[in-house]
Amino acid sequence: MELKNCKECRKVFVHPVREICQDCFEQEDKDFEKVREFLQDASTSSIEEIHEHTEVKTKKIMKFVRQGRLNRAGLKVKVYANCQGCGEPVDGDEEYCPACKDRMIKGLQSDESVQQGNIGGSKGRKMFTANRRKGR
């Protein structure tokens, strides 16, 4: 097991899976219960309204939604996350923005061309570094 710093309080802790310490984990569960109980009576609230009534940070409420712990259907909000490629905002269900998806697809297509020997116009042409490694 390795030492980690809690993403919430920065305290050092050991846990094989979690990103937060036990104290913050317990606090997160309490915050989730506050939000869940509030939404039983006011299921079509915005994130800001939930924050005002429960005092749970909006960032944490959005985390609950992204994790699937809260149903988005009843909330008056569109949850956004950040693209894992460039950091731009994306819909909460997406990991990458359209531009990064296109770049990855084009990159994969060019990788296939390299594997098939279609780069440079001649099939079977070897790279200089490969010849050098073999001592040729």
Side-chain angles (χ1 to χ4, degrees):
M1 293 210 192
E2 64 184 75
L3 289 176
K4 299 177 186 178
N5 285 81
C6 176
K7 289 195 176 209
E8 294 288 324
C9 68
R10 307 302 302 157
K11 184 169 67 174
V12 177
F13 73 103
V14 177
H15 193 280
V17 179
R18 277 194 219 134
E19 298 292 325
I20 58 175
C21 68
Q22 185 64 29
D23 293 338
C24 291
F25 181 76
E26 290 171 5
Q27 182 59 49
E28 191 170 279
D29 273 350
K30 289 177 186 175
D31 289 343
F32 175 74
E33 282 303 311
K34 280 187 206 176
V35 171
R36 191 180 64 76
E37 287 174 11
F38 173 74
L39 287 174
Q40 286 178 343
D41 296 328
S43 62
T44 57
S45 299
S46 70
I47 297 254
E48 208 44 54
E49 290 169 336
I50 296 169
H51 165 68
E52 288 172 13
H53 287 88
T54 64
E55 297 180 0
V56 175
K57 294 179 182 178
T58 57
K59 185 177 178 181
K60 195 174 278 189
I61 296 167
M62 290 176 64
K63 178 181 174 182
F64 296 151
V65 173
R66 271 192 232 102
Q67 290 174 336
R69 293 174 78 181
L70 293 176
N71 183 359
R72 266 201 319 192
L75 298 177
K76 294 187 289 185
V77 69
K78 184 165 182 142
V79 177
Y80 288 94
N82 293 330
C83 172
Q84 292 186 13
C86 66
E88 290 295 314
V90 293
D91 185 34
D93 296 336
E94 299 292 328
E95 291 184 44
Y96 296 95
C97 68
C100 285
K101 283 181 184 178
D102 288 344
R103 244 179 280 139
M104 286 189 288
I105 289 169
K106 288 176 184 170
L108 289 172
Q109 289 170 342
S110 72
D111 285 349
E112 288 174 6
S113 295
V114 170
Q115 289 175 355
Q116 294 172 1
N118 294 334
I119 298 288
S122 67
K123 289 186 178 183
R125 199 160 113 182
K126 296 178 183 174
M127 292 178 61
F128 176 73
T129 55
N131 290 336
R132 209 165 177 196
R133 245 186 308 146
K134 293 179 182 177
R136 294 183 186 170

